[in-house]
Amino acid sequence: MLTYIAIRQNRNEQMTDTLPSPLDQLMPKGEIVIRKKGDILKKQFSKVDQFYILLEGTVHFDQSLHSNDKELLAGMSQSKYAPIGMDAFIAPYRNETTARVASDEARLIMWQTKDLITLLDDDIVLSIAFYTFLNIQSHKFVEDTSELFANTSAALQSLATETSSEGYLAQLERDEIDKVILLLQSPFFEAFDEEDLAVLAQSMQRREYLVNDVIIKQDEEKKGIYLLESGEVQYSRMNFSIETNKPYKVPFRSISTPGYLISSSSMLGIKSAMTSHVTKDAIVLYIPEDNLEKHCEQYPKFALSFQKRILWLINNQLRAVRTRLIATQFNEELLVASTLINSNSTKLMVHSPLHAVPLLLENKLTIPHAIEILHRTELKGIGPEKNLASLCLDNLHQTQRESNFYRALQDIYSSVAENTEGKSVDQIQLDCVKASKKAFSIPSIYLKGLENMPTEQGCIFIYNHLLNEPYYTLPNQFQITLDSHYLSALVYEQYGAHAQRIVRLGKSEEYAHENYYDNLGFISVSTADSEALVETIEEKKIRHQKFYHQINDALNEGKNIIISPEGSSHPTEHSPSHFKSGFFKVLQKVKKEPLIVPIVMANFDKRITAYKFACEIKKPFKLSEKMKEYGCTEVKPFLRKYQMDFRNDTQQLTNDISNETSVEFLFEDEVDALIEKLTTHDEQDCISFYGSSTIRLWDTLESDLADKKAINLGFGGSSYQWCLFYFDRLFENFRPKNYVLYGGDNDLSNGQSPEDILMNFSLLTEKIKNHNPAAQITVISIKPSPSREYLLSKIIETNELLRTHTEVNEHMHWIEIYEHMLTPDGRPRTDLFVDDMLHLNPKGYKIWKQHVRDQLPF
């Protein structure tokens, strides 16, 4: 009989004339088959009728969020002996993905599932050997898919030196019965008899790990069973980026549920696919390999059950990584979580509370209940419920954060408009500030310029008023104005006193609006968004006089005043609109001229799942002095000039926040190298290719287009935003006759919208024209990469926006490359890409050479 250790050693056997054991013993019921490119080996959701082992070729694993939807790439394999159809051995025995041949052809061993299972049932030694072999090969899927996720993830972290730890023995040891109870609480061990668990528990140790301790490092071979008793462990993977030419780390899921296995690789004695490090002080139950090996040798039935359970664990790990991959690609957490539950519904009992979760996730008002069910099931569920709930929660981080934010907005409204009888205006304002501070602790906010806050009160805070994101509309149709509430809380925190806000009069049907602001005691004014007033000239004069006295009185009392001079709200991209002159004319009349503090707002009109809010406090000024600086004697011409400066400040803040996520600019070294390259390049009558790694990795570009005098200035995984950022430095003393631009795919992958890309592209082309007015600009369409197939609709939309923009400018030209890289059925051609399915191979660049040359205007 093969022992546990001897079986593991088979992983290193290489196929020569004969297959490795146990495949050679199973061949009487198998056959060698050749499948062509595009052939489907297994279809998602179908019953597993055939099982394959890959001998040569490449297979892609695709997954659809619904059975009729377009498929997304969920993994790939070209590993020798990769198993295809392992769902045949895991209930409910249905394929979780579609597997199709991606290479020109693939050579495989094929078994009919029922024949294979019959062979295994008749020979327990062969069965143990097969499942161990299957586990070792299946674990490579976890590694391959996690690497694919790391290649497509924008959630990069800097590297730190890591060394794994053995922890230290916990001072409080448990008796044997308690240890067995702990094992029984684990989803992994719930399938085993107590007698077997009692044997394993005899050698079990309780080890304590501190925050940042590494339990198992990526590529490390540790042996034994590691089981989480308490605390939290996060998984991450180190990858090497061919775009930045640097290593980086990508965080994966975290586990905190007691009883979860920390590693499957350690039970197989193979290299770990990821690093597991402690994020909250943890206690880990450790069972040495020797005890496990001895029990497997003595009890073959246990050995077989144990290997089958490892396959179950690997399948769960693979599902978790694939789900993260799809969630990242599709950028739609709710849909992914719902599909995860629906596609596994046959594994759940009919009374499982998880069946209700997809319905509850459809409405923002019931999302908290869905999340509550998932948390409760993760802790107290039965069977596959616990793991499924954990996977869903791991893919709902942003949803949970946004749900908490939405509930906090409800709390702001409630603090002002509900149960306030008997409270003073000051108390209601204080409650509003407290609720606002709590709400704004949830989103990510970039705050700049606090040093510009005046030390004394009695100031006018003006800000550009942004639209409300419709998603955050409360159930009573009221909208909490995020920018003004944030500003009110900020001013209160600075001075310890409430500011007087100027708000618009609500329309007659906006009862919630009127009730809310009446309770806060703010000054109301009529704006373009208010109901039209029917009044005489005298009544209008009285209204204006009243407003003047309210402002004057507030300033005389030393109060700060918050107002948006626009009188309406707009998206960040078009903010601010024209400033109204009325308020500034009032300021010219007040007895003591106050300081005006400009507050620039950005992204408060966006959802917190995709954007970071931004607020910048600019240097204060007095109106009379600022008008003199602008050379204006009248308010209206001054405001026209100042509004444009304010808009530029808003745009600059938007750019700052986009770049703020990378304090150490990612491409500094590469750009410095390009600048050095240009110092030895005297030729100005040339064509510069400027853009992302698709340009940088075109190694033969300059020789392919030597007659065009092409020069390659591509860098890293850049975007149009980064091209804009580095343009001045790179092209300061260089003016080519034609700028060939390529970007957009990294932009979309990083969460930008097609409109965002058009804006950055327009700013870049405007900068080029200002710097080099005689130059021509050529734009290459965004290519369709298989690893970003989920973005095809956005790529098409972005290409259309960019193409339309180029066609209306006579100095700009379009190169169509997208349509030349598709299969007849409209999918990206995988034969044009290297293994990561993102970057072009020589065949792909050959197509680029042909079509770029043919379409260049010179």
Side-chain angles (χ1 to χ4, degrees):
M1 171 180 167
L2 291 172
T3 67
Y4 179 67
I5 295 176
I7 293 170
R8 284 204 319 269
Q9 292 171 344
N10 287 327
R11 71 181 186 274
N12 295 319
E13 293 186 49
Q14 299 296 318
M15 176 180 173
T16 53
D17 294 332
T18 60
L19 292 168
S21 178
L23 298 185
D24 57 340
Q25 296 175 259
L26 296 170
M27 273 307 296
K29 287 291 185 178
E31 60 175 311
I32 303 291
V33 296
I34 304 295
R35 295 290 185 259
K36 300 296 184 181
K37 184 174 183 176
D39 286 350
I40 293 178
L41 304 177
K42 64 189 187 83
K43 186 71 176 175
Q44 185 178 355
F45 303 125
S46 65
K47 190 174 181 181
V48 192
D49 293 323
Q50 288 88 31
F51 175 76
Y52 297 88
I53 290 289
L54 180 65
L55 299 177
E56 294 176 359
T58 303
V59 175
H60 281 183
F61 299 91
D62 297 319
Q63 195 162 353
S64 62
L65 298 186
H66 296 293
S67 57
N68 297 328
D69 282 349
K70 199 165 190 175
E71 295 168 329
L72 302 174
L73 185 66
M76 63 181 73
S77 181
Q78 51 188 194
S79 300
K80 200 173 192 178
Y81 309 134
I84 301 167
M86 64 181 184
D87 298 302
F89 310 101
I90 305 169
Y93 314 110
R94 292 189 175 273
N95 293 308
E96 292 197 1
T97 60
T98 294
R100 57 168 54 86
V101 177
S103 50
D104 291 336
E105 67 176 30
R107 193 162 69 96
L108 311 102
I109 311 173
M110 183 187 75
W111 290 268
Q112 296 299 319
T113 303
K114 60 181 180 180
D115 294 340
L116 182 59
I117 290 177
T118 299
L119 278 176
L120 296 175
D121 288 345
D122 291 342
D123 188 336
I124 193 170
V125 174
L126 176 60
S127 188
I128 294 172
F130 171 76
Y131 276 100
T132 307
F133 181 87
L134 181 60
N135 287 334
I136 292 169
Q137 301 304 324
S138 298
H139 192 270
K140 293 178 182 177
F141 284 140
V142 178
E143 182 174 0
D144 291 343
T145 309
S146 62
E147 183 175 5
L148 182 61
F149 170 78
N151 285 335
T152 59
S153 174
L156 308 183
Q157 292 184 351
S158 59
L159 278 176
T161 304
E162 295 176 330
T163 305
S164 66
S165 167
E166 298 300 328
Y168 55 94
L169 293 178
Q171 294 180 353
L172 178 63
E173 193 53 83
R174 295 179 180 268
D175 60 29
E176 300 303 318
I177 295 178
D178 284 343
K179 290 180 180 179
V180 173
I181 292 174
L182 287 173
L183 293 179
L184 286 171
Q185 291 174 349
S186 167
F188 180 85
F189 285 110
E190 63 186 11
F192 295 99
D193 294 334
E194 291 186 25
E195 291 80 4
D196 291 318
L197 300 183
V199 174
L200 298 181
Q202 290 175 1
S203 61
M204 188 166 73
Q205 304 169 5
R206 294 178 72 242
R207 295 181 175 181
E208 294 187 22
Y209 290 83
L210 302 178
V211 172
N212 295 325
D213 281 350
V214 173
I215 300 174
I216 302 177
K217 188 179 178 181
Q218 180 180 326
D219 295 330
E220 183 178 23
E221 292 187 14
K222 276 195 172 183
K223 300 175 182 178
I225 300 173
Y226 293 82
L227 189 75
L228 184 66
E229 180 181 336
S230 63
E232 183 179 77
V233 174
Q234 185 184 67
Y235 298 97
S236 61
R237 178 171 177 82
M238 186 187 77
N239 258 29
F240 187 86
S241 172
I242 62 175
E243 294 182 334
T244 62
N245 203 33
K246 294 177 182 178
Y248 62 90
K249 185 172 71 174
V250 178
F252 281 76
R253 64 182 305 213
S254 297
I255 58 169
S256 57
T257 305
Y260 269 58
L261 265 293
I262 292 173
S263 171
S264 57
S265 62
S266 64
M267 295 188 289
L268 294 166
I270 60 177
K271 292 181 179 180
S272 176
M274 302 182 201
T275 294
S276 50
H277 71 276
V278 177
T279 48
K280 291 181 182 178
D281 289 355
I283 294 181
V284 175
L285 306 178
Y286 170 69
I287 299 174
E289 183 197 29
D290 293 345
N291 190 28
L292 176 62
E293 162 67 13
K294 182 178 179 181
H295 195 60
C296 286
E297 288 180 347
Q298 292 178 349
Y299 299 95
K301 287 186 178 180
F302 172 79
L304 178 58
S305 297
F306 190 76
Q307 290 300 325
K308 287 183 176 181
R309 203 60 180 167
I310 293 177
L311 182 62
W312 169 86
L313 177 62
I314 292 172
N315 185 62
N316 285 338
Q317 292 175 333
L318 182 58
R319 185 192 300 140
V321 179
R322 283 176 174 169
T323 303
R324 286 297 305 276
L325 173 64
I326 292 175
T328 300
Q329 294 182 41
F330 213 81
N331 197 26
E332 184 55 78
E333 293 183 344
L334 298 177
L335 185 57
V336 172
S338 295
T339 302
L340 191 61
I341 291 175
N342 289 331
S343 62
N344 287 276
S345 59
T346 56
K347 300 179 182 179
L348 301 173
M349 297 180 66
V350 293
H351 291 296
S352 172
L354 293 185
H355 290 301
V357 169
L359 289 174
L360 295 172
L361 289 176
E362 291 179 1
N363 190 302
K364 61 188 176 186
L365 297 178
T366 54
I367 286 176
H369 184 42
I371 292 172
E372 181 184 341
I373 289 175
L374 290 171
H375 278 296
R376 187 168 63 247
T377 305
E378 183 187 30
L379 291 173
K380 300 181 180 180
I382 58 174
E385 284 183 335
K386 298 177 72 172
N387 182 67
L388 199 54
S390 177
L391 286 178
C392 288
L393 287 171
D394 197 52
N395 286 284
L396 288 172
H397 289 307
Q398 293 283 52
T399 298
Q400 293 183 73
R401 190 166 70 103
E402 187 169 53
S403 179
N404 292 337
F405 182 60
Y406 183 71
R407 295 184 78 171
L409 296 182
Q410 291 174 293
D411 291 340
I412 293 176
Y413 182 85
S414 179
S415 70
V416 173
E418 299 173 354
N419 303 317
T420 57
E421 188 175 347
K423 288 187 177 181
S424 66
V425 170
D426 283 345
Q427 183 59 54
I428 294 173
Q429 288 183 345
L430 181 59
D431 291 344
C432 181
V433 165
K434 288 179 178 178
S436 297
K437 288 177 65 176
K438 182 178 179 181
F440 288 110
S441 67
I442 297 171
S444 182
I445 301 178
Y446 175 79
L447 177 61
K448 182 180 179 181
L450 266 177
E451 69 277 5
N452 292 326
M453 278 286 205
T455 55
E456 300 295 328
Q457 296 191 64
C459 302
I460 306 293
F461 292 85
I462 62 171
Y463 68 102
N464 55 313
H465 193 21
L466 302 178
L467 282 173
N468 290 306
E469 162 57 47
Y471 184 84
Y472 299 132
T473 302
L474 302 185
N476 61 356
Q477 302 309 305
F478 183 76
Q479 292 182 323
I480 299 289
T481 52
L482 301 185
D483 48 10
S484 60
H485 279 74
Y486 175 74
L487 181 52
S488 294
L490 184 66
V491 172
Y492 180 87
E493 189 171 3
Q494 182 72 15
Y495 299 102
H498 304 292
Q500 181 63 280
R501 267 180 51 199
I502 314 298
V503 298
R504 72 172 176 86
L505 282 168
K507 297 180 179 180
S508 56
E509 65 269 19
E510 294 180 307
Y511 171 77
H513 180 282
E514 183 180 353
N515 183 44
Y516 185 84
Y517 287 111
D518 281 352
N519 283 357
L520 286 169
F522 290 156
I523 299 173
S524 297
V525 296
S526 178
T527 72
D529 294 329
S530 303
E531 207 158 53
L533 295 177
V534 179
E535 58 184 354
T536 65
I537 295 177
E538 186 62 29
E539 287 171 334
K540 183 177 181 180
K541 183 178 179 181
I542 293 173
R543 178 166 58 84
H544 286 176
Q545 192 67 20
K546 178 183 177 181
F547 179 62
Y548 163 76
H549 285 300
Q550 288 176 310
I551 297 298
N552 196 53
D553 291 346
L555 292 175
N556 288 336
E557 294 170 11
K559 289 185 177 180
N560 293 312
I561 295 176
I562 296 174
I563 184 172
S564 169
E566 302 163 89
S568 58
S569 53
H570 300 272
T572 297
E573 293 77 12
H574 305 294
S575 178
S577 65
H578 298 298
F579 287 163
K580 306 297 183 183
S581 61
F583 178 73
F584 293 93
K585 289 179 178 179
V586 168
L587 292 185
Q588 288 183 310
K589 298 177 182 178
V590 296
K591 296 178 181 179
K592 182 181 178 182
E593 185 176 11
L595 281 173
I596 297 176
V597 186
I599 307 291
V600 182
M601 296 290 194
N603 293 346
F604 281 83
D605 55 324
K606 307 292 194 295
R607 290 179 67 169
I608 67 172
T609 52
Y611 290 86
K612 176 181 283 191
F613 293 165
C615 172
E616 182 177 4
I617 304 157
K618 307 295 284 188
K619 289 185 178 180
F621 61 84
K622 288 189 175 182
L623 179 60
S624 59
E625 296 172 356
K626 199 72 170 178
M627 288 177 63
K628 188 181 298 182
E629 177 187 329
Y630 276 64
C632 297
T633 57
E634 299 293 331
V635 168
K636 285 188 177 180
F638 160 72
L639 289 179
R640 282 195 293 270
K641 294 182 179 180
Y642 182 62
Q643 182 256 339
M644 292 307 299
D645 284 348
F646 209 112
R647 175 172 285 195
N648 290 335
D649 289 338
T650 305
Q651 182 60 61
Q652 184 60 52
L653 180 61
T654 305
N655 291 338
D656 287 348
I657 197 61
S658 298
N659 292 324
E660 189 265 342
T661 54
S662 182
V663 179
E664 296 179 4
F665 298 126
L666 292 176
F667 311 113
E668 286 285 304
D669 294 342
E670 291 182 62
V671 172
D672 286 343
L674 291 176
I675 293 172
E676 181 66 24
K677 175 180 180 179
L678 289 177
T679 60
T680 61
H681 188 87
D682 298 328
E683 183 65 63
Q684 298 283 334
D685 185 27
C686 63
I687 299 175
S688 67
F689 281 74
Y690 188 45
S692 66
S693 59
T694 301
I695 299 297
R696 181 178 73 84
L697 296 172
W698 190 350
D699 295 334
T700 58
L701 169 61
E702 294 178 1
S703 59
D704 287 344
L705 301 172
D707 58 318
K708 303 288 187 180
K709 299 179 181 178
I711 180 170
N712 191 330
L713 298 178
F715 62 97
S718 66
S719 62
Y720 276 124
Q721 207 160 37
W722 282 113
C723 287
L724 178 65
F725 181 82
Y726 282 115
F727 180 85
D728 290 334
R729 278 177 55 188
L730 189 53
F731 289 92
E732 180 181 6
N733 300 310
F734 182 56
R735 289 174 172 81
K737 68 178 182 181
N738 191 353
Y739 298 78
V740 181
L741 306 178
Y742 179 77
D745 41 8
N746 289 323
D747 315 52
L748 289 169
S749 180
N750 291 335
Q752 290 195 28
S753 69
E755 291 76 15
D756 293 332
I757 296 171
L758 177 63
M759 180 182 67
N760 289 317
F761 170 79
S762 301
L763 292 171
L764 175 60
T765 56
E766 183 179 346
K767 186 177 282 287
I768 291 173
K769 291 305 295 179
N770 290 336
H771 178 70
N772 191 2
Q776 298 291 310
I777 299 173
T778 301
V779 187
I780 302 176
S781 65
I782 305 171
K783 72 181 189 296
S785 302
S787 66
R788 289 174 175 168
E789 190 173 359
Y790 63 99
L791 289 173
L792 282 190
S793 62
K794 290 186 177 180
I795 290 175
I796 293 171
E797 182 182 352
T798 308
N799 277 338
E800 183 62 25
L801 289 174
L802 297 178
R803 184 183 63 79
T804 301
H805 185 85
T806 61
E807 288 179 349
V808 298
N809 290 276
E810 61 180 17
H811 65 284
M812 298 179 68
H813 312 275
W814 181 256
I815 291 181
E816 178 56 50
I817 201 73
Y818 175 91
E819 63 184 26
H820 301 293
M821 301 182 67
L822 299 173
T823 62
D825 62 350
R827 298 192 69 180
R829 287 178 56 181
T830 56
D831 61 317
L832 304 180
F833 293 83
V834 297
D835 291 344
D836 66 3
M837 291 296 129
L838 177 63
H839 297 96
L840 296 171
N841 61 22
K843 187 175 180 181
Y845 279 118
K846 184 177 180 181
I847 288 181
W848 271 57
K849 174 185 175 181
Q850 172 191 340
H851 291 286
V852 169
R853 169 178 288 281
D854 290 347
Q855 297 179 64
L856 270 173
F858 299 103

